[in-house]
mmCIF file of all heavy atoms in Angstrom:
data_model
loop_
_atom_site.group_PDB
_atom_site.id
_atom_site.type_symbol
_atom_site.label_atom_id
_atom_site.label_comp_id
_atom_site.label_asym_id
_atom_site.label_seq_id
_atom_site.Cartn_x
_atom_site.Cartn_y
_atom_site.Cartn_z
ATOM 1 N N ARG U 200 0.844 -1.185 0.000
ATOM 2 C CA ARG U 200 0.000 0.000 0.000
ATOM 3 C C ARG U 200 0.877 1.233 0.000
ATOM 4 O O ARG U 200 1.667 1.454 0.925
ATOM 5 C CB ARG U 200 -0.945 0.044 1.206
ATOM 6 C CG ARG U 200 -1.978 1.175 1.093
ATOM 7 C CD ARG U 200 -2.955 1.216 2.240
ATOM 8 N NE ARG U 200 -2.360 1.745 3.464
ATOM 9 C CZ ARG U 200 -3.046 2.311 4.449
ATOM 10 N NH1 ARG U 200 -4.372 2.416 4.350
ATOM 11 N NH2 ARG U 200 -2.424 2.736 5.527
ATOM 12 N N LEU U 201 0.745 2.038 -1.051
ATOM 13 C CA LEU U 201 1.466 3.295 -1.159
ATOM 14 C C LEU U 201 0.627 4.432 -0.596
ATOM 15 O O LEU U 201 -0.599 4.398 -0.672
ATOM 16 C CB LEU U 201 1.815 3.602 -2.617
ATOM 17 C CG LEU U 201 2.557 2.520 -3.401
ATOM 18 C CD1 LEU U 201 2.882 3.028 -4.799
ATOM 19 C CD2 LEU U 201 3.814 2.080 -2.666
ATOM 20 N N ALA U 202 1.285 5.447 -0.040
ATOM 21 C CA ALA U 202 0.609 6.622 0.489
ATOM 22 C C ALA U 202 1.195 7.880 -0.134
ATOM 23 O O ALA U 202 2.397 7.954 -0.396
ATOM 24 C CB ALA U 202 0.733 6.687 2.010
ATOM 25 N N CYS U 203 0.343 8.861 -0.376
ATOM 26 C CA CYS U 203 0.746 10.173 -0.872
ATOM 27 C C CYS U 203 0.220 11.214 0.102
ATOM 28 O O CYS U 203 -0.989 11.493 0.123
ATOM 29 C CB CYS U 203 0.191 10.408 -2.276
ATOM 30 S SG CYS U 203 0.424 12.085 -2.907
ATOM 31 N N ALA U 204 1.107 11.770 0.916
ATOM 32 C CA ALA U 204 0.739 12.789 1.889
ATOM 33 C C ALA U 204 0.862 14.169 1.259
ATOM 34 O O ALA U 204 1.931 14.539 0.779
ATOM 35 C CB ALA U 204 1.626 12.691 3.125
ATOM 36 N N ALA U 205 -0.231 14.923 1.259
ATOM 37 C CA ALA U 205 -0.274 16.229 0.619
ATOM 38 C C ALA U 205 -0.236 17.348 1.649
ATOM 39 O O ALA U 205 -0.757 17.213 2.759
ATOM 40 C CB ALA U 205 -1.529 16.363 -0.237
ATOM 41 N N SER U 206 0.377 18.465 1.273
ATOM 42 C CA SER U 206 0.376 19.668 2.094
ATOM 43 C C SER U 206 0.251 20.885 1.194
ATOM 44 O O SER U 206 0.630 20.843 0.027
ATOM 45 C CB SER U 206 1.640 19.762 2.957
ATOM 46 O OG SER U 206 2.810 19.774 2.149
ATOM 47 N N GLY U 207 -0.279 21.974 1.741
ATOM 48 C CA GLY U 207 -0.464 23.195 0.973
ATOM 49 C C GLY U 207 -1.774 23.273 0.227
ATOM 50 O O GLY U 207 -2.080 24.324 -0.357
ATOM 51 N N PHE U 208 -2.540 22.213 0.216
ATOM 52 C CA PHE U 208 -3.863 22.172 -0.408
ATOM 53 C C PHE U 208 -4.619 20.989 0.154
ATOM 54 O O PHE U 208 -4.038 20.136 0.832
ATOM 55 C CB PHE U 208 -3.760 22.086 -1.935
ATOM 56 C CG PHE U 208 -3.321 20.733 -2.432
ATOM 57 C CD1 PHE U 208 -4.256 19.825 -2.928
ATOM 58 C CD2 PHE U 208 -1.999 20.359 -2.399
ATOM 59 C CE1 PHE U 208 -3.855 18.572 -3.378
ATOM 60 C CE2 PHE U 208 -1.584 19.115 -2.838
ATOM 61 C CZ PHE U 208 -2.518 18.225 -3.336
ATOM 62 N N SER U 209 -5.894 20.911 -0.140
ATOM 63 C CA SER U 209 -6.736 19.807 0.315
ATOM 64 C C SER U 209 -6.953 18.820 -0.816
ATOM 65 O O SER U 209 -7.353 19.207 -1.915
ATOM 66 C CB SER U 209 -8.081 20.332 0.813
ATOM 67 O OG SER U 209 -8.952 19.264 1.134
ATOM 68 N N VAL U 210 -6.708 17.530 -0.557
ATOM 69 C CA VAL U 210 -6.909 16.519 -1.592
ATOM 70 C C VAL U 210 -8.382 16.385 -1.959
ATOM 71 O O VAL U 210 -8.703 15.864 -3.030
ATOM 72 C CB VAL U 210 -6.340 15.149 -1.172
ATOM 73 C CG1 VAL U 210 -4.848 15.246 -0.902
ATOM 74 C CG2 VAL U 210 -7.073 14.596 0.056
ATOM 75 N N SER U 211 -9.271 16.860 -1.097
ATOM 76 C CA SER U 211 -10.696 16.796 -1.392
ATOM 77 C C SER U 211 -11.104 17.758 -2.501
ATOM 78 O O SER U 211 -12.177 17.594 -3.088
ATOM 79 C CB SER U 211 -11.521 17.087 -0.137
ATOM 80 O OG SER U 211 -11.347 18.430 0.288
ATOM 81 N N SER U 212 -10.268 18.754 -2.791
ATOM 82 C CA SER U 212 -10.598 19.764 -3.792
ATOM 83 C C SER U 212 -9.897 19.538 -5.123
ATOM 84 O O SER U 212 -10.036 20.348 -6.043
ATOM 85 C CB SER U 212 -10.250 21.158 -3.266
ATOM 86 O OG SER U 212 -8.861 21.285 -3.028
ATOM 87 N N ASN U 213 -9.145 18.455 -5.244
ATOM 88 C CA ASN U 213 -8.372 18.179 -6.450
ATOM 89 C C ASN U 213 -8.535 16.744 -6.894
ATOM 90 O O ASN U 213 -8.658 15.830 -6.068
ATOM 91 C CB ASN U 213 -6.883 18.441 -6.215
ATOM 92 C CG ASN U 213 -6.528 19.907 -6.193
ATOM 93 O OD1 ASN U 213 -6.177 20.478 -7.212
ATOM 94 N ND2 ASN U 213 -6.634 20.511 -5.016
ATOM 95 N N ALA U 214 -8.518 16.531 -8.201
ATOM 96 C CA ALA U 214 -8.343 15.183 -8.722
ATOM 97 C C ALA U 214 -6.910 14.739 -8.444
ATOM 98 O O ALA U 214 -5.965 15.504 -8.644
ATOM 99 C CB ALA U 214 -8.628 15.139 -10.217
ATOM 100 N N MET U 215 -6.741 13.511 -7.963
ATOM 101 C CA MET U 215 -5.431 12.983 -7.604
ATOM 102 C C MET U 215 -5.157 11.729 -8.421
ATOM 103 O O MET U 215 -6.059 10.924 -8.674
ATOM 104 C CB MET U 215 -5.367 12.653 -6.115
ATOM 105 C CG MET U 215 -5.699 13.811 -5.187
ATOM 106 S SD MET U 215 -4.467 15.144 -5.240
ATOM 107 C CE MET U 215 -3.015 14.287 -4.617
ATOM 108 N N SER U 216 -3.880 11.547 -8.810
ATOM 109 C CA SER U 216 -3.511 10.429 -9.668
ATOM 110 C C SER U 216 -2.237 9.761 -9.172
ATOM 111 O O SER U 216 -1.408 10.374 -8.495
ATOM 112 C CB SER U 216 -3.282 10.886 -11.112
ATOM 113 O OG SER U 216 -4.435 11.482 -11.666
ATOM 114 N N TRP U 217 -2.102 8.491 -9.540
ATOM 115 C CA TRP U 217 -0.849 7.756 -9.425
ATOM 116 C C TRP U 217 -0.350 7.435 -10.828
ATOM 117 O O TRP U 217 -1.112 6.949 -11.673
ATOM 118 C CB TRP U 217 -1.019 6.453 -8.642
ATOM 119 C CG TRP U 217 -1.193 6.629 -7.170
ATOM 120 C CD1 TRP U 217 -2.361 6.667 -6.480
ATOM 121 C CD2 TRP U 217 -0.142 6.773 -6.207
ATOM 122 N NE1 TRP U 217 -2.109 6.829 -5.132
ATOM 123 C CE2 TRP U 217 -0.764 6.901 -4.936
ATOM 124 C CE3 TRP U 217 1.252 6.809 -6.288
ATOM 125 C CZ2 TRP U 217 -0.029 7.057 -3.756
ATOM 126 C CZ3 TRP U 217 1.979 6.973 -5.113
ATOM 127 C CH2 TRP U 217 1.343 7.089 -3.876
ATOM 128 N N TYR U 218 0.923 7.716 -11.073
ATOM 129 C CA TYR U 218 1.619 7.337 -12.291
ATOM 130 C C TYR U 218 2.789 6.436 -11.925
ATOM 131 O O TYR U 218 3.242 6.414 -10.783
ATOM 132 C CB TYR U 218 2.149 8.559 -13.035
ATOM 133 C CG TYR U 218 1.112 9.344 -13.806
ATOM 134 C CD1 TYR U 218 0.206 10.174 -13.157
ATOM 135 C CD2 TYR U 218 1.057 9.265 -15.200
ATOM 136 C CE1 TYR U 218 -0.737 10.894 -13.864
ATOM 137 C CE2 TYR U 218 0.120 9.990 -15.919
ATOM 138 C CZ TYR U 218 -0.770 10.807 -15.242
ATOM 139 O OH TYR U 218 -1.702 11.526 -15.950
ATOM 140 N N ARG U 219 3.301 5.698 -12.910
ATOM 141 C CA ARG U 219 4.520 4.932 -12.698
ATOM 142 C C ARG U 219 5.436 5.070 -13.913
ATOM 143 O O ARG U 219 4.977 5.347 -15.022
ATOM 144 C CB ARG U 219 4.233 3.462 -12.406
ATOM 145 C CG ARG U 219 3.632 2.683 -13.562
ATOM 146 C CD ARG U 219 3.263 1.284 -13.094
ATOM 147 N NE ARG U 219 2.726 0.464 -14.166
ATOM 148 C CZ ARG U 219 2.227 -0.754 -13.995
ATOM 149 N NH1 ARG U 219 2.195 -1.290 -12.768
ATOM 150 N NH2 ARG U 219 1.754 -1.437 -15.031
ATOM 151 N N GLN U 220 6.736 4.872 -13.689
ATOM 152 C CA GLN U 220 7.717 5.056 -14.744
ATOM 153 C C GLN U 220 8.801 3.991 -14.691
ATOM 154 O O GLN U 220 9.388 3.743 -13.639
ATOM 155 C CB GLN U 220 8.366 6.434 -14.635
ATOM 156 C CG GLN U 220 9.319 6.759 -15.775
ATOM 157 C CD GLN U 220 9.771 8.202 -15.760
ATOM 158 O OE1 GLN U 220 9.824 8.836 -14.710
ATOM 159 N NE2 GLN U 220 10.084 8.724 -16.931
ATOM 160 N N ILE U 221 9.037 3.361 -15.837
ATOM 161 C CA ILE U 221 10.162 2.457 -16.044
ATOM 162 C C ILE U 221 11.246 3.260 -16.759
ATOM 163 O O ILE U 221 10.944 4.012 -17.687
ATOM 164 C CB ILE U 221 9.748 1.239 -16.883
ATOM 165 C CG1 ILE U 221 8.652 0.449 -16.159
ATOM 166 C CG2 ILE U 221 10.937 0.348 -17.201
ATOM 167 C CD1 ILE U 221 8.038 -0.653 -16.988
ATOM 168 N N PRO U 222 12.522 3.133 -16.332
ATOM 169 C CA PRO U 222 13.587 3.895 -16.996
ATOM 170 C C PRO U 222 13.565 3.722 -18.508
ATOM 171 O O PRO U 222 13.445 2.606 -19.017
ATOM 172 C CB PRO U 222 14.864 3.318 -16.381
ATOM 173 C CG PRO U 222 14.441 2.873 -15.022
ATOM 174 C CD PRO U 222 13.039 2.343 -15.208
ATOM 175 N N GLY U 223 13.667 4.836 -19.226
ATOM 176 C CA GLY U 223 13.651 4.819 -20.676
ATOM 177 C C GLY U 223 12.270 4.893 -21.295
ATOM 178 O O GLY U 223 12.164 4.971 -22.523
ATOM 179 N N LYS U 224 11.226 4.852 -20.472
ATOM 180 C CA LYS U 224 9.864 4.935 -20.972
ATOM 181 C C LYS U 224 9.140 6.101 -20.313
ATOM 182 O O LYS U 224 9.514 6.552 -19.235
ATOM 183 C CB LYS U 224 9.102 3.639 -20.715
ATOM 184 C CG LYS U 224 9.663 2.436 -21.453
ATOM 185 C CD LYS U 224 8.778 1.218 -21.281
ATOM 186 C CE LYS U 224 9.286 0.050 -22.089
ATOM 187 N NZ LYS U 224 8.397 -1.134 -21.961
ATOM 188 N N GLU U 225 8.089 6.589 -20.984
ATOM 189 C CA GLU U 225 7.293 7.673 -20.425
ATOM 190 C C GLU U 225 6.453 7.180 -19.259
ATOM 191 O O GLU U 225 6.086 6.008 -19.187
ATOM 192 C CB GLU U 225 6.380 8.273 -21.499
ATOM 193 C CG GLU U 225 7.114 8.995 -22.603
ATOM 194 C CD GLU U 225 6.182 9.759 -23.513
ATOM 195 O OE1 GLU U 225 5.121 10.219 -23.034
ATOM 196 O OE2 GLU U 225 6.507 9.910 -24.699
ATOM 197 N N ARG U 226 6.162 8.092 -18.361
ATOM 198 C CA ARG U 226 5.277 7.770 -17.254
ATOM 199 C C ARG U 226 3.887 7.396 -17.768
ATOM 200 O O ARG U 226 3.383 8.006 -18.711
ATOM 201 C CB ARG U 226 5.175 8.949 -16.295
ATOM 202 C CG ARG U 226 6.472 9.272 -15.591
ATOM 203 C CD ARG U 226 6.332 10.425 -14.620
ATOM 204 N NE ARG U 226 7.628 10.786 -14.059
ATOM 205 C CZ ARG U 226 7.827 11.726 -13.148
ATOM 206 N NH1 ARG U 226 6.800 12.427 -12.682
ATOM 207 N NH2 ARG U 226 9.047 11.979 -12.696
ATOM 208 N N GLU U 227 3.273 6.390 -17.134
ATOM 209 C CA GLU U 227 1.945 5.953 -17.515
ATOM 210 C C GLU U 227 0.985 6.100 -16.340
ATOM 211 O O GLU U 227 1.358 5.919 -15.184
ATOM 212 C CB GLU U 227 1.955 4.505 -18.006
ATOM 213 C CG GLU U 227 2.339 3.488 -16.954
ATOM 214 C CD GLU U 227 2.167 2.056 -17.425
ATOM 215 O OE1 GLU U 227 1.151 1.756 -18.100
ATOM 216 O OE2 GLU U 227 3.052 1.226 -17.130
ATOM 217 N N LEU U 228 -0.262 6.411 -16.664
ATOM 218 C CA LEU U 228 -1.292 6.552 -15.643
ATOM 219 C C LEU U 228 -1.628 5.190 -15.049
ATOM 220 O O LEU U 228 -1.899 4.234 -15.775
ATOM 221 C CB LEU U 228 -2.545 7.187 -16.235
ATOM 222 C CG LEU U 228 -3.736 7.329 -15.285
ATOM 223 C CD1 LEU U 228 -3.424 8.346 -14.190
ATOM 224 C CD2 LEU U 228 -4.989 7.736 -16.051
ATOM 225 N N VAL U 229 -1.629 5.112 -13.725
ATOM 226 C CA VAL U 229 -2.009 3.905 -13.007
ATOM 227 C C VAL U 229 -3.440 4.012 -12.496
ATOM 228 O O VAL U 229 -4.248 3.096 -12.680
ATOM 229 C CB VAL U 229 -1.047 3.629 -11.840
ATOM 230 C CG1 VAL U 229 -1.510 2.427 -11.025
ATOM 231 C CG2 VAL U 229 0.370 3.414 -12.362
ATOM 232 N N ALA U 230 -3.767 5.130 -11.826
ATOM 233 C CA ALA U 230 -5.090 5.292 -11.235
ATOM 234 C C ALA U 230 -5.384 6.766 -11.013
ATOM 235 O O ALA U 230 -4.472 7.571 -10.839
ATOM 236 C CB ALA U 230 -5.195 4.536 -9.911
ATOM 237 N N LEU U 231 -6.667 7.119 -11.009
ATOM 238 C CA LEU U 231 -7.128 8.484 -10.779
ATOM 239 C C LEU U 231 -8.374 8.449 -9.909
ATOM 240 O O LEU U 231 -9.210 7.553 -10.043
ATOM 241 C CB LEU U 231 -7.425 9.177 -12.112
ATOM 242 C CG LEU U 231 -7.992 10.606 -12.083
ATOM 243 C CD1 LEU U 231 -7.513 11.383 -13.302
ATOM 244 C CD2 LEU U 231 -9.516 10.595 -12.046
ATOM 245 N N ILE U 232 -8.505 9.450 -9.020
ATOM 246 C CA ILE U 232 -9.722 9.622 -8.240
ATOM 247 C C ILE U 232 -10.157 11.072 -8.371
ATOM 248 O O ILE U 232 -9.352 11.994 -8.242
ATOM 249 C CB ILE U 232 -9.526 9.199 -6.767
ATOM 250 C CG1 ILE U 232 -10.858 9.264 -6.008
ATOM 251 C CG2 ILE U 232 -8.454 10.032 -6.080
ATOM 252 C CD1 ILE U 232 -10.811 8.562 -4.651
ATOM 253 N N SER U 233 -11.441 11.299 -8.636
ATOM 254 C CA SER U 233 -11.957 12.637 -8.878
ATOM 255 C C SER U 233 -12.071 13.431 -7.584
ATOM 256 O O SER U 233 -12.035 12.882 -6.479
ATOM 257 C CB SER U 233 -13.311 12.574 -9.578
ATOM 258 O OG SER U 233 -14.323 12.133 -8.686
ATOM 259 N N SER U 234 -12.242 14.757 -7.726
ATOM 260 C CA SER U 234 -12.331 15.648 -6.569
ATOM 261 C C SER U 234 -13.736 15.780 -6.015
ATOM 262 O O SER U 234 -13.911 16.295 -4.917
ATOM 263 C CB SER U 234 -11.811 17.037 -6.938
ATOM 264 O OG SER U 234 -12.598 17.617 -7.960
ATOM 265 N N THR U 235 -14.740 15.354 -6.756
ATOM 266 C CA THR U 235 -16.127 15.562 -6.355
ATOM 267 C C THR U 235 -16.826 14.267 -5.943
ATOM 268 O O THR U 235 -17.089 14.036 -4.759
ATOM 269 C CB THR U 235 -16.911 16.244 -7.486
ATOM 270 O OG1 THR U 235 -16.782 15.483 -8.694
ATOM 271 C CG2 THR U 235 -16.384 17.649 -7.728
ATOM 272 N N SER U 236 -17.123 13.418 -6.897
ATOM 273 C CA SER U 236 -17.927 12.230 -6.650
ATOM 274 C C SER U 236 -17.130 11.039 -6.121
ATOM 275 O O SER U 236 -17.723 10.062 -5.650
ATOM 276 C CB SER U 236 -18.652 11.818 -7.924
ATOM 277 O OG SER U 236 -17.738 11.389 -8.908
ATOM 278 N N GLY U 237 -15.812 11.093 -6.201
ATOM 279 C CA GLY U 237 -15.010 9.945 -5.851
ATOM 280 C C GLY U 237 -14.878 8.935 -6.979
ATOM 281 O O GLY U 237 -14.403 7.818 -6.760
ATOM 282 N N PHE U 238 -15.293 9.316 -8.179
ATOM 283 C CA PHE U 238 -15.133 8.465 -9.353
ATOM 284 C C PHE U 238 -13.671 8.070 -9.515
ATOM 285 O O PHE U 238 -12.773 8.887 -9.323
ATOM 286 C CB PHE U 238 -15.619 9.206 -10.595
ATOM 287 C CG PHE U 238 -15.271 8.542 -11.892
ATOM 288 C CD1 PHE U 238 -16.055 7.524 -12.395
ATOM 289 C CD2 PHE U 238 -14.149 8.938 -12.603
ATOM 290 C CE1 PHE U 238 -15.739 6.902 -13.589
ATOM 291 C CE2 PHE U 238 -13.818 8.328 -13.800
ATOM 292 C CZ PHE U 238 -14.613 7.301 -14.296
ATOM 293 N N THR U 239 -13.425 6.815 -9.880
ATOM 294 C CA THR U 239 -12.071 6.310 -10.077
ATOM 295 C C THR U 239 -11.899 5.741 -11.467
ATOM 296 O O THR U 239 -12.851 5.283 -12.102
ATOM 297 C CB THR U 239 -11.722 5.230 -9.040
ATOM 298 O OG1 THR U 239 -12.664 4.152 -9.128
ATOM 299 C CG2 THR U 239 -11.748 5.806 -7.634
ATOM 300 N N ASN U 240 -10.654 5.760 -11.941
ATOM 301 C CA ASN U 240 -10.305 5.217 -13.236
ATOM 302 C C ASN U 240 -8.934 4.564 -13.124
ATOM 303 O O ASN U 240 -8.073 5.039 -12.372
ATOM 304 C CB ASN U 240 -10.291 6.313 -14.303
ATOM 305 C CG ASN U 240 -10.198 5.757 -15.706
ATOM 306 O OD1 ASN U 240 -10.882 4.791 -16.050
ATOM 307 N ND2 ASN U 240 -9.367 6.368 -16.538
ATOM 308 N N TYR U 241 -8.730 3.470 -13.880
ATOM 309 C CA TYR U 241 -7.496 2.695 -13.774
ATOM 310 C C TYR U 241 -6.930 2.365 -15.139
ATOM 311 O O TYR U 241 -7.665 2.210 -16.116
ATOM 312 C CB TYR U 241 -7.744 1.382 -13.020
ATOM 313 C CG TYR U 241 -8.222 1.577 -11.606
ATOM 314 C CD1 TYR U 241 -9.583 1.639 -11.312
ATOM 315 C CD2 TYR U 241 -7.312 1.715 -10.567
ATOM 316 C CE1 TYR U 241 -10.022 1.828 -10.014
ATOM 317 C CE2 TYR U 241 -7.744 1.905 -9.262
ATOM 318 C CZ TYR U 241 -9.095 1.962 -8.995
ATOM 319 O OH TYR U 241 -9.528 2.148 -7.701
ATOM 320 N N GLY U 242 -5.605 2.245 -15.192
ATOM 321 C CA GLY U 242 -4.970 1.731 -16.383
ATOM 322 C C GLY U 242 -5.355 0.279 -16.610
ATOM 323 O O GLY U 242 -5.599 -0.469 -15.666
ATOM 324 N N ASP U 243 -5.400 -0.121 -17.878
ATOM 325 C CA ASP U 243 -5.859 -1.472 -18.212
ATOM 326 C C ASP U 243 -5.038 -2.562 -17.531
ATOM 327 O O ASP U 243 -5.580 -3.599 -17.136
ATOM 328 C CB ASP U 243 -5.820 -1.681 -19.727
ATOM 329 C CG ASP U 243 -6.879 -0.887 -20.462
ATOM 330 O OD1 ASP U 243 -7.864 -0.469 -19.825
ATOM 331 O OD2 ASP U 243 -6.726 -0.692 -21.682
ATOM 332 N N SER U 244 -3.742 -2.354 -17.379
ATOM 333 C CA SER U 244 -2.876 -3.390 -16.846
ATOM 334 C C SER U 244 -3.051 -3.635 -15.350
ATOM 335 O O SER U 244 -2.565 -4.646 -14.839
ATOM 336 C CB SER U 244 -1.405 -3.048 -17.132
ATOM 337 O OG SER U 244 -1.018 -1.861 -16.474
ATOM 338 N N VAL U 245 -3.739 -2.727 -14.636
ATOM 339 C CA VAL U 245 -3.885 -2.872 -13.189
ATOM 340 C C VAL U 245 -5.331 -3.039 -12.749
ATOM 341 O O VAL U 245 -5.585 -3.228 -11.550
ATOM 342 C CB VAL U 245 -3.253 -1.689 -12.429
ATOM 343 C CG1 VAL U 245 -1.807 -1.478 -12.854
ATOM 344 C CG2 VAL U 245 -4.058 -0.414 -12.636
ATOM 345 N N LYS U 246 -6.278 -2.989 -13.668
ATOM 346 C CA LYS U 246 -7.688 -3.131 -13.317
ATOM 347 C C LYS U 246 -7.940 -4.467 -12.626
ATOM 348 O O LYS U 246 -7.483 -5.509 -13.070
ATOM 349 C CB LYS U 246 -8.569 -3.011 -14.558
ATOM 350 C CG LYS U 246 -8.676 -1.606 -15.102
ATOM 351 C CD LYS U 246 -9.572 -1.543 -16.334
ATOM 352 C CE LYS U 246 -9.689 -0.122 -16.850
ATOM 353 N NZ LYS U 246 -10.512 -0.038 -18.085
ATOM 354 N N GLY U 247 -8.667 -4.407 -11.518
ATOM 355 C CA GLY U 247 -8.966 -5.595 -10.747
ATOM 356 C C GLY U 247 -7.924 -5.946 -9.718
ATOM 357 O O GLY U 247 -8.166 -6.816 -8.869
#
């Protein structure tokens, strides 16, 4: 379980995302959670 501790703003007011990066490749989206409804979205390789 990874944690992202935020300061200087409230995570409730922003969409927050996790990305990952392998050396030599561009960062790819892993997961996103919206700022309002709590809607989530995931990269195909990590769904489930």
Side-chain angles (χ1 to χ4, degrees):
R200 189 178 75 156
L201 307 183
C203 172
S206 59
F208 73 100
S209 174
V210 300
S211 66
S212 63
N213 284 268
M215 304 293 296
S216 300
W217 286 96
Y218 283 75
R219 67 186 182 186
Q220 185 171 28
I221 299 172
K224 296 186 176 182
E225 293 189 30
R226 294 181 185 182
E227 65 173 319
L228 177 68
V229 176
L231 177 148
I232 185 167
S233 72
S234 62
T235 55
S236 67
F238 169 83
T239 58
N240 191 44
Y241 299 91
D243 289 341
S244 64
V245 307
K246 287 180 179 178

